Amino acid sequence: MYGFSKFYNKYLLPLLLLSLWLIAVFLLSDRPAHSQHPVIFTNKEKYQSNLLTKKIMPSTLTENVRKTVLENGLTVLTKEVHTAPVVTVQVWYKVGSRNEEPGVNGIAHQLEHMMFKGTRNRPIQFGRLFSALGSDSNAFTSYDQTAYYSTVERNKLKALLVLEADRMRNSQIEPEQLASEKRVVISELQGYENSPEYRLNRAVMQAVFPNHAYGLPVGGTKADVEKFEVEQVEKYYRNFYSPDNAVLVIVGDFQTANTLETVKEVFGKLPRQRAEGRGQEAEVISSSLSTQHSALSTPIVLRQPGAGRLLQVVYPLPDANQPDVPVLDVMDYILTEGRNSRLYQALVESGLASEVTASVNSLRESGWYEVLVTAGSKQDLKKIDSMLSSAIANVAEKGVTSEEVERAKTQLTTDVILSNRDITSQAMRLGTDETTVGDYSYTDRYLAAVRLVKSADVVAVINKYLTKEARTVGFFEPTQKRITEVADKPDSAQTTENFSFGAPVLFSEVIKYLPPVDLATDTIAQVLPDKFKFTNGLRILLLPDHSTPTVTLSGYIQAGTEFDPDNKAGLAAFVADNLLNGTKSKDVLTIAKVLGERGASLDFQTYREGVHIEGDSLAEDLPILLEILADVVKNSNFPVKELELHRQQTLTELQLELDEPSEVARRVFVQSIYPKKHPLHTFPTEESLQQIQRQDVINFKTKHYHPDTTVLALVGDFDLDKVRSLIKNKFGDWEVSGQAPTLKYLPVAMPKKIVSVNPVLPDKAQAVTYMGYTSINRYDPHFHAALVLNQILGGDTLSSRLGAEVRDRQGLSYGIYSSFQVGKNVGTFLIEMQTSPEDSSKAIASTRQILQQIHQQGVTALEVETAKRTLISNYNVSLANPEELTDRILMNEVYGLDKVELHSFTDKIQKVTLTQVNQAARELLHPDQIVVVTAGPSVLAEKSIR
């Protein structure tokens, strides 16, 4: 769903959604099972341009970008990338929260929402049109820009251009729609308000920028949103949404000359800015707001309900065009990236903190460096702040080594190369550069500067910017202890509200307003991975792809949380999380250093049915990545010191999780469906985590980590025979005695009636509801029909039945989705929504009515055809992303499917019939036998959802 970007540097929003059949193996886990080391071996989503290494990528990444400016002022950036038959179209407007002031805070974000409501030419929800095209479309608002992006098969390019040009000129803002969408935005803001981190950040930023819009929350405030009038939003639309204030970015498989002719045909007729005068209004705002920073001598202290102590420190920085920015990014990596980083060593290794993160934010008019620390259990924030200051002062006094600088530059380089392998990300980078600094080739200047950074430069920027006098500090001190266990006796309740639906939009209307398009999709090259099986049972799948000098590794070990003992829940995650903490030949810091020096990443995440391995590196560093992986799965020795440090981090993370409505709702939902002693019922608790001993970890690893239950998939720039030989050399001697354990899943009965559960989290602003029951697994004959059914029901928060009614027409939810989450052994049907507390009852009732409607009446043939086209197009687009492609190859093997499933999946979807979908609706949708869990503030307990 669309929303706003909290931090400019974290602009890489969710891009290409995985199909439900892929992610569902990690059953009912919207996050990995319990905690990971939060700053170890992870790629930061920060604002950096694509970095180059001379020996890998000698030319600039922007060398084949072409910039064209139309007569009406529209800037067009095109970049041909012919690795897959897909294309992304993005429209970036040079307006964001920077163009606001108190009283109208959030209006850019509100306008972004309204841009999906339809135009004079197409009075229909645009999400429906994008879905009908099979487009992965979304939008976001940030400080300096608002962007709309869609990625499709290449034959849909012109259709996307037509839609974007239409809403650039002809969007309509109707009073009724604005009222509905304001409720949605308020629900979204309430979700952010649930987070102590968000509330602390808002208070600190207002203090840092008291007289500039950068101190205002990007999404706005409830008080301001409630007061927005149609005329205000229309004025912003007229002033800022015009071709001379926009950048059109097109990246992918197209011919530049032909595409530019199409762009001129579609956009060239649109007039320039056509109202009071955008420049004059911007000057008025700028004259009243100053980028002059403010620093407080004493910390801001928020004493509010919450679960953990937080420390946030913000240092003002220059704008993105200033020469110190590349040095500051290198500095940040030295301070906070990885286990060897200075602040991790000072704060986390000492036990003072469970997590430390930081980011350099470089914007159009200013910037800042922010450090966020999550305190360890019972640790004092003043002591942590003192240690933080001392650590930074120590770096300034004693300097940094050339080894640290080179490692940081390599990490930064590799991170950005790896995060820009898909066309959507490449277009995001171009749009960001052009709208922030006015130069899409800013990347090249930035790269050259990064390569020149020296140790003395890092010390200089620390002394210049990270001074105690310049910083603003915020403390979050929780005023009450949150619940430490989640338990709530289910109530049986029948929803009694009766809502009349608005006239549904017929799918014939969707087709009516859809721009002309050749609906015949491109034939995707039938390239399949090569599969090998070693004598020890290890399976590997290899697919060479020489489009970028990188390699993506995805793996699976059958050692998930389903094997957790009842009294030691969390053990499976304990094992996976500590694999990288030392082996017989390497300690934790050596492992971190070896990976960090190459910018490689390796991580283990524990889910219900397995441990997922994620790894990325430059192609030349694949041998190192595989060497470390083989060493840790075979030889990890779980040092006592590291286990105890991890235990404390995990306990802190548990406290924080039980303060989140989404996590509480998920736990109660799962435990309301699956009875005790069922493999899915168990969740970690403080007591169970304290019970885990080192010998338990060793025994679990020995018992469950077997080569014959492990699968590795690699996609990237490598020679097939060489990599096969390399893997055999590293893993061929991995022998484990005995058979790996298996589980028998007993059938779970459906609830006999509606079961309603309301765990209360005091003082939360937004409620989260989970609705569902046990359902099909991956091997059920209804599987493909269920995917089509789900796409119609709730596969998209704008175009689905649930989205159109609950979110779009009634404005009751910021986001509502449904899914059939399927595993090897079991599956669950799930609907998730976020609502204002006062809207929960209405949203639940409306959802049940839609389930009842589809269960009894079925869906239409046109809905089925549209859903199939959407699923197929999204699937084809996903194959252009190396990480998604690798995961699909992996999970097909895990499920025991033939490797041809990689391309036959779309044929199976295409063959689904209306009869099969309606049969699935009758057999799989049970509106009167459903578990409903709503976690949120106490008002829910008073009103209930009966």
PDB file of all heavy atoms in Angstrom, residues 658-682:
ATOM      1  N   LEU A 658       6.265  -7.760  22.259  1.00  0.00           N
ATOM      2  CA  LEU A 658       4.996  -7.850  22.969  1.00  0.00           C
ATOM      3  C   LEU A 658       4.395  -6.483  23.240  1.00  0.00           C
ATOM      4  O   LEU A 658       3.338  -6.379  23.867  1.00  0.00           O
ATOM      5  CB  LEU A 658       5.189  -8.632  24.271  1.00  0.00           C
ATOM      6  CG  LEU A 658       5.598 -10.096  24.091  1.00  0.00           C
ATOM      7  CD1 LEU A 658       5.695 -10.791  25.437  1.00  0.00           C
ATOM      8  CD2 LEU A 658       4.619 -10.826  23.185  1.00  0.00           C
ATOM      9  N   ASP A 659       5.039  -5.440  22.759  1.00  0.00           N
ATOM     10  CA  ASP A 659       4.484  -4.091  22.814  1.00  0.00           C
ATOM     11  C   ASP A 659       3.885  -3.697  21.471  1.00  0.00           C
ATOM     12  O   ASP A 659       3.330  -2.610  21.332  1.00  0.00           O
ATOM     13  CB  ASP A 659       5.589  -3.096  23.201  1.00  0.00           C
ATOM     14  CG  ASP A 659       5.061  -1.694  23.426  1.00  0.00           C
ATOM     15  OD1 ASP A 659       4.059  -1.549  24.150  1.00  0.00           O
ATOM     16  OD2 ASP A 659       5.647  -0.750  22.869  1.00  0.00           O
ATOM     17  N   GLU A 660       3.979  -4.578  20.466  1.00  0.00           N
ATOM     18  CA  GLU A 660       3.475  -4.295  19.121  1.00  0.00           C
ATOM     19  C   GLU A 660       2.160  -5.019  18.897  1.00  0.00           C
ATOM     20  O   GLU A 660       2.096  -6.246  19.005  1.00  0.00           O
ATOM     21  CB  GLU A 660       4.480  -4.749  18.063  1.00  0.00           C
ATOM     22  CG  GLU A 660       5.815  -4.050  18.119  1.00  0.00           C
ATOM     23  CD  GLU A 660       6.778  -4.579  17.077  1.00  0.00           C
ATOM     24  OE1 GLU A 660       6.333  -5.369  16.211  1.00  0.00           O
ATOM     25  OE2 GLU A 660       7.954  -4.215  17.123  1.00  0.00           O
ATOM     26  N   PRO A 661       1.091  -4.293  18.576  1.00  0.00           N
ATOM     27  CA  PRO A 661      -0.199  -4.947  18.325  1.00  0.00           C
ATOM     28  C   PRO A 661      -0.127  -6.033  17.257  1.00  0.00           C
ATOM     29  O   PRO A 661      -0.784  -7.071  17.384  1.00  0.00           O
ATOM     30  CB  PRO A 661      -1.094  -3.783  17.884  1.00  0.00           C
ATOM     31  CG  PRO A 661      -0.523  -2.596  18.567  1.00  0.00           C
ATOM     32  CD  PRO A 661       0.966  -2.813  18.549  1.00  0.00           C
ATOM     33  N   SER A 662       0.661  -5.820  16.213  1.00  0.00           N
ATOM     34  CA  SER A 662       0.729  -6.823  15.154  1.00  0.00           C
ATOM     35  C   SER A 662       1.314  -8.131  15.660  1.00  0.00           C
ATOM     36  O   SER A 662       0.826  -9.220  15.317  1.00  0.00           O
ATOM     37  CB  SER A 662       1.565  -6.305  13.979  1.00  0.00           C
ATOM     38  OG  SER A 662       2.884  -6.001  14.391  1.00  0.00           O
ATOM     39  N   GLU A 663       2.341  -8.054  16.503  1.00  0.00           N
ATOM     40  CA  GLU A 663       2.959  -9.264  17.028  1.00  0.00           C
ATOM     41  C   GLU A 663       2.040  -9.953  18.032  1.00  0.00           C
ATOM     42  O   GLU A 663       1.907 -11.181  18.047  1.00  0.00           O
ATOM     43  CB  GLU A 663       4.303  -8.936  17.675  1.00  0.00           C
ATOM     44  CG  GLU A 663       4.990 -10.117  18.332  1.00  0.00           C
ATOM     45  CD  GLU A 663       5.374 -11.207  17.356  1.00  0.00           C
ATOM     46  OE1 GLU A 663       5.442 -10.925  16.145  1.00  0.00           O
ATOM     47  OE2 GLU A 663       5.600 -12.345  17.814  1.00  0.00           O
ATOM     48  N   VAL A 664       1.391  -9.171  18.879  1.00  0.00           N
ATOM     49  CA  VAL A 664       0.459  -9.757  19.848  1.00  0.00           C
ATOM     50  C   VAL A 664      -0.703 -10.419  19.124  1.00  0.00           C
ATOM     51  O   VAL A 664      -1.118 -11.533  19.459  1.00  0.00           O
ATOM     52  CB  VAL A 664      -0.042  -8.680  20.824  1.00  0.00           C
ATOM     53  CG1 VAL A 664      -1.146  -9.237  21.717  1.00  0.00           C
ATOM     54  CG2 VAL A 664       1.112  -8.160  21.684  1.00  0.00           C
ATOM     55  N   ALA A 665      -1.250  -9.739  18.114  1.00  0.00           N
ATOM     56  CA  ALA A 665      -2.362 -10.314  17.350  1.00  0.00           C
ATOM     57  C   ALA A 665      -1.937 -11.609  16.667  1.00  0.00           C
ATOM     58  O   ALA A 665      -2.691 -12.593  16.645  1.00  0.00           O
ATOM     59  CB  ALA A 665      -2.862  -9.303  16.317  1.00  0.00           C
ATOM     60  N   ARG A 666      -0.737 -11.631  16.109  1.00  0.00           N
ATOM     61  CA  ARG A 666      -0.256 -12.831  15.425  1.00  0.00           C
ATOM     62  C   ARG A 666      -0.126 -13.996  16.390  1.00  0.00           C
ATOM     63  O   ARG A 666      -0.561 -15.124  16.099  1.00  0.00           O
ATOM     64  CB  ARG A 666       1.094 -12.540  14.766  1.00  0.00           C
ATOM     65  CG  ARG A 666       1.652 -13.691  13.949  1.00  0.00           C
ATOM     66  CD  ARG A 666       2.918 -13.281  13.230  1.00  0.00           C
ATOM     67  NE  ARG A 666       4.047 -13.181  14.139  1.00  0.00           N
ATOM     68  CZ  ARG A 666       4.901 -14.182  14.388  1.00  0.00           C
ATOM     69  NH1 ARG A 666       4.713 -15.358  13.827  1.00  0.00           N
ATOM     70  NH2 ARG A 666       5.921 -14.005  15.207  1.00  0.00           N
ATOM     71  N   ARG A 667       0.460 -13.747  17.558  1.00  0.00           N
ATOM     72  CA  ARG A 667       0.633 -14.825  18.537  1.00  0.00           C
ATOM     73  C   ARG A 667      -0.708 -15.381  19.000  1.00  0.00           C
ATOM     74  O   ARG A 667      -0.913 -16.601  19.023  1.00  0.00           O
ATOM     75  CB  ARG A 667       1.417 -14.307  19.746  1.00  0.00           C
ATOM     76  CG  ARG A 667       2.911 -14.161  19.521  1.00  0.00           C
ATOM     77  CD  ARG A 667       3.599 -13.678  20.779  1.00  0.00           C
ATOM     78  NE  ARG A 667       5.050 -13.770  20.652  1.00  0.00           N
ATOM     79  CZ  ARG A 667       5.850 -14.344  21.529  1.00  0.00           C
ATOM     80  NH1 ARG A 667       5.340 -14.895  22.612  1.00  0.00           N
ATOM     81  NH2 ARG A 667       7.141 -14.387  21.350  1.00  0.00           N
ATOM     82  N   VAL A 668      -1.599 -14.487  19.386  1.00  0.00           N
ATOM     83  CA  VAL A 668      -2.896 -14.946  19.896  1.00  0.00           C
ATOM     84  C   VAL A 668      -3.674 -15.656  18.798  1.00  0.00           C
ATOM     85  O   VAL A 668      -4.338 -16.670  19.034  1.00  0.00           O
ATOM     86  CB  VAL A 668      -3.693 -13.752  20.465  1.00  0.00           C
ATOM     87  CG1 VAL A 668      -5.099 -14.204  20.886  1.00  0.00           C
ATOM     88  CG2 VAL A 668      -2.962 -13.156  21.659  1.00  0.00           C
ATOM     89  N   PHE A 669      -3.594 -15.136  17.589  1.00  0.00           N
ATOM     90  CA  PHE A 669      -4.291 -15.761  16.460  1.00  0.00           C
ATOM     91  C   PHE A 669      -3.807 -17.195  16.247  1.00  0.00           C
ATOM     92  O   PHE A 669      -4.605 -18.134  16.162  1.00  0.00           O
ATOM     93  CB  PHE A 669      -4.061 -14.920  15.204  1.00  0.00           C
ATOM     94  CG  PHE A 669      -4.633 -15.522  13.950  1.00  0.00           C
ATOM     95  CD1 PHE A 669      -5.999 -15.504  13.721  1.00  0.00           C
ATOM     96  CD2 PHE A 669      -3.805 -16.100  13.003  1.00  0.00           C
ATOM     97  CE1 PHE A 669      -6.532 -16.061  12.561  1.00  0.00           C
ATOM     98  CE2 PHE A 669      -4.328 -16.657  11.855  1.00  0.00           C
ATOM     99  CZ  PHE A 669      -5.694 -16.634  11.629  1.00  0.00           C
ATOM    100  N   VAL A 670      -2.499 -17.381  16.168  1.00  0.00           N
ATOM    101  CA  VAL A 670      -1.948 -18.712  15.931  1.00  0.00           C
ATOM    102  C   VAL A 670      -2.315 -19.658  17.070  1.00  0.00           C
ATOM    103  O   VAL A 670      -2.728 -20.807  16.844  1.00  0.00           O
ATOM    104  CB  VAL A 670      -0.420 -18.636  15.762  1.00  0.00           C
ATOM    105  CG1 VAL A 670       0.184 -20.029  15.734  1.00  0.00           C
ATOM    106  CG2 VAL A 670      -0.054 -17.875  14.504  1.00  0.00           C
ATOM    107  N   GLN A 671      -2.191 -19.178  18.297  1.00  0.00           N
ATOM    108  CA  GLN A 671      -2.476 -20.056  19.433  1.00  0.00           C
ATOM    109  C   GLN A 671      -3.965 -20.292  19.625  1.00  0.00           C
ATOM    110  O   GLN A 671      -4.358 -21.230  20.323  1.00  0.00           O
ATOM    111  CB  GLN A 671      -1.842 -19.476  20.695  1.00  0.00           C
ATOM    112  CG  GLN A 671      -0.317 -19.495  20.633  1.00  0.00           C
ATOM    113  CD  GLN A 671       0.346 -19.031  21.912  1.00  0.00           C
ATOM    114  OE1 GLN A 671      -0.202 -18.212  22.648  1.00  0.00           O
ATOM    115  NE2 GLN A 671       1.544 -19.539  22.177  1.00  0.00           N
ATOM    116  N   SER A 672      -4.809 -19.471  19.024  1.00  0.00           N
ATOM    117  CA  SER A 672      -6.251 -19.708  19.062  1.00  0.00           C
ATOM    118  C   SER A 672      -6.673 -20.731  18.017  1.00  0.00           C
ATOM    119  O   SER A 672      -7.729 -21.355  18.150  1.00  0.00           O
ATOM    120  CB  SER A 672      -7.012 -18.402  18.820  1.00  0.00           C
ATOM    121  OG  SER A 672      -6.737 -17.452  19.829  1.00  0.00           O
ATOM    122  N   ILE A 673      -5.862 -20.895  16.985  1.00  0.00           N
ATOM    123  CA  ILE A 673      -6.182 -21.842  15.920  1.00  0.00           C
ATOM    124  C   ILE A 673      -5.582 -23.216  16.192  1.00  0.00           C
ATOM    125  O   ILE A 673      -6.238 -24.244  16.036  1.00  0.00           O
ATOM    126  CB  ILE A 673      -5.666 -21.313  14.565  1.00  0.00           C
ATOM    127  CG1 ILE A 673      -6.459 -20.091  14.137  1.00  0.00           C
ATOM    128  CG2 ILE A 673      -5.747 -22.384  13.484  1.00  0.00           C
ATOM    129  CD1 ILE A 673      -5.941 -19.457  12.867  1.00  0.00           C
ATOM    130  N   TYR A 674      -4.296 -23.199  16.598  1.00  0.00           N
ATOM    131  CA  TYR A 674      -3.582 -24.455  16.778  1.00  0.00           C
ATOM    132  C   TYR A 674      -3.478 -24.786  18.264  1.00  0.00           C
ATOM    133  O   TYR A 674      -2.971 -23.994  19.050  1.00  0.00           O
ATOM    134  CB  TYR A 674      -2.194 -24.364  16.158  1.00  0.00           C
ATOM    135  CG  TYR A 674      -2.246 -24.125  14.665  1.00  0.00           C
ATOM    136  CD1 TYR A 674      -2.016 -22.868  14.136  1.00  0.00           C
ATOM    137  CD2 TYR A 674      -2.572 -25.158  13.796  1.00  0.00           C
ATOM    138  CE1 TYR A 674      -2.090 -22.641  12.763  1.00  0.00           C
ATOM    139  CE2 TYR A 674      -2.646 -24.951  12.433  1.00  0.00           C
ATOM    140  CZ  TYR A 674      -2.410 -23.686  11.927  1.00  0.00           C
ATOM    141  OH  TYR A 674      -2.490 -23.473  10.573  1.00  0.00           O
ATOM    142  N   PRO A 675      -3.942 -25.962  18.673  1.00  0.00           N
ATOM    143  CA  PRO A 675      -3.981 -26.304  20.100  1.00  0.00           C
ATOM    144  C   PRO A 675      -2.592 -26.569  20.665  1.00  0.00           C
ATOM    145  O   PRO A 675      -1.609 -26.711  19.938  1.00  0.00           O
ATOM    146  CB  PRO A 675      -4.824 -27.590  20.106  1.00  0.00           C
ATOM    147  CG  PRO A 675      -4.596 -28.195  18.751  1.00  0.00           C
ATOM    148  CD  PRO A 675      -4.459 -27.045  17.809  1.00  0.00           C
ATOM    149  N   LYS A 676      -2.523 -26.625  21.972  1.00  0.00           N
ATOM    150  CA  LYS A 676      -1.266 -26.969  22.636  1.00  0.00           C
ATOM    151  C   LYS A 676      -0.775 -28.325  22.137  1.00  0.00           C
ATOM    152  O   LYS A 676      -1.562 -29.193  21.774  1.00  0.00           O
ATOM    153  CB  LYS A 676      -1.459 -26.998  24.154  1.00  0.00           C
ATOM    154  CG  LYS A 676      -1.708 -25.621  24.755  1.00  0.00           C
ATOM    155  CD  LYS A 676      -1.828 -25.693  26.268  1.00  0.00           C
ATOM    156  CE  LYS A 676      -2.030 -24.298  26.865  1.00  0.00           C
ATOM    157  NZ  LYS A 676      -2.146 -24.329  28.346  1.00  0.00           N
ATOM    158  N   LYS A 677       0.521 -28.475  22.129  1.00  0.00           N
ATOM    159  CA  LYS A 677       1.223 -29.652  21.634  1.00  0.00           C
ATOM    160  C   LYS A 677       1.298 -29.688  20.108  1.00  0.00           C
ATOM    161  O   LYS A 677       1.974 -30.552  19.532  1.00  0.00           O
ATOM    162  CB  LYS A 677       0.587 -30.962  22.134  1.00  0.00           C
ATOM    163  CG  LYS A 677       0.486 -31.058  23.653  1.00  0.00           C
ATOM    164  CD  LYS A 677       1.844 -30.951  24.312  1.00  0.00           C
ATOM    165  CE  LYS A 677       1.745 -31.074  25.823  1.00  0.00           C
ATOM    166  NZ  LYS A 677       3.072 -30.912  26.486  1.00  0.00           N
ATOM    167  N   HIS A 678       0.607 -28.761  19.432  1.00  0.00           N
ATOM    168  CA  HIS A 678       0.750 -28.669  17.973  1.00  0.00           C
ATOM    169  C   HIS A 678       2.064 -27.957  17.661  1.00  0.00           C
ATOM    170  O   HIS A 678       2.451 -27.017  18.367  1.00  0.00           O
ATOM    171  CB  HIS A 678      -0.427 -27.901  17.376  1.00  0.00           C
ATOM    172  CG  HIS A 678      -0.475 -27.963  15.877  1.00  0.00           C
ATOM    173  ND1 HIS A 678       0.299 -27.158  15.074  1.00  0.00           N
ATOM    174  CD2 HIS A 678      -1.209 -28.742  15.029  1.00  0.00           C
ATOM    175  CE1 HIS A 678       0.047 -27.434  13.803  1.00  0.00           C
ATOM    176  NE2 HIS A 678      -0.857 -28.394  13.750  1.00  0.00           N
ATOM    177  N   PRO A 679       2.788 -28.371  16.609  1.00  0.00           N
ATOM    178  CA  PRO A 679       4.078 -27.741  16.311  1.00  0.00           C
ATOM    179  C   PRO A 679       4.026 -26.236  16.069  1.00  0.00           C
ATOM    180  O   PRO A 679       5.049 -25.559  16.206  1.00  0.00           O
ATOM    181  CB  PRO A 679       4.527 -28.477  15.033  1.00  0.00           C
ATOM    182  CG  PRO A 679       3.847 -29.802  15.090  1.00  0.00           C
ATOM    183  CD  PRO A 679       2.520 -29.540  15.740  1.00  0.00           C
ATOM    184  N   LEU A 680       2.869 -25.702  15.726  1.00  0.00           N
ATOM    185  CA  LEU A 680       2.770 -24.267  15.458  1.00  0.00           C
ATOM    186  C   LEU A 680       2.296 -23.461  16.660  1.00  0.00           C
ATOM    187  O   LEU A 680       2.249 -22.233  16.593  1.00  0.00           O
ATOM    188  CB  LEU A 680       1.823 -24.009  14.281  1.00  0.00           C
ATOM    189  CG  LEU A 680       2.220 -24.623  12.941  1.00  0.00           C
ATOM    190  CD1 LEU A 680       1.299 -24.111  11.840  1.00  0.00           C
ATOM    191  CD2 LEU A 680       3.665 -24.326  12.589  1.00  0.00           C
ATOM    192  N   HIS A 681       1.950 -24.107  17.742  1.00  0.00           N
ATOM    193  CA  HIS A 681       1.371 -23.393  18.872  1.00  0.00           C
ATOM    194  C   HIS A 681       2.411 -22.639  19.706  1.00  0.00           C
ATOM    195  O   HIS A 681       2.126 -21.604  20.288  1.00  0.00           O
ATOM    196  CB  HIS A 681       0.622 -24.382  19.781  1.00  0.00           C
ATOM    197  CG  HIS A 681      -0.054 -23.719  20.948  1.00  0.00           C
ATOM    198  ND1 HIS A 681      -1.331 -23.202  20.865  1.00  0.00           N
ATOM    199  CD2 HIS A 681       0.365 -23.489  22.225  1.00  0.00           C
ATOM    200  CE1 HIS A 681      -1.665 -22.675  22.029  1.00  0.00           C
ATOM    201  NE2 HIS A 681      -0.659 -22.839  22.876  1.00  0.00           N
ATOM    202  N   THR A 682       3.616 -23.135  19.738  1.00  0.00           N
ATOM    203  CA  THR A 682       4.607 -22.641  20.687  1.00  0.00           C
ATOM    204  C   THR A 682       5.257 -21.345  20.224  1.00  0.00           C
ATOM    205  O   THR A 682       5.640 -21.209  19.061  1.00  0.00           O
ATOM    206  CB  THR A 682       5.699 -23.698  20.897  1.00  0.00           C
ATOM    207  OG1 THR A 682       5.090 -24.918  21.312  1.00  0.00           O
ATOM    208  CG2 THR A 682       6.683 -23.247  21.968  1.00  0.00           C
TER     209      THR A 682
END
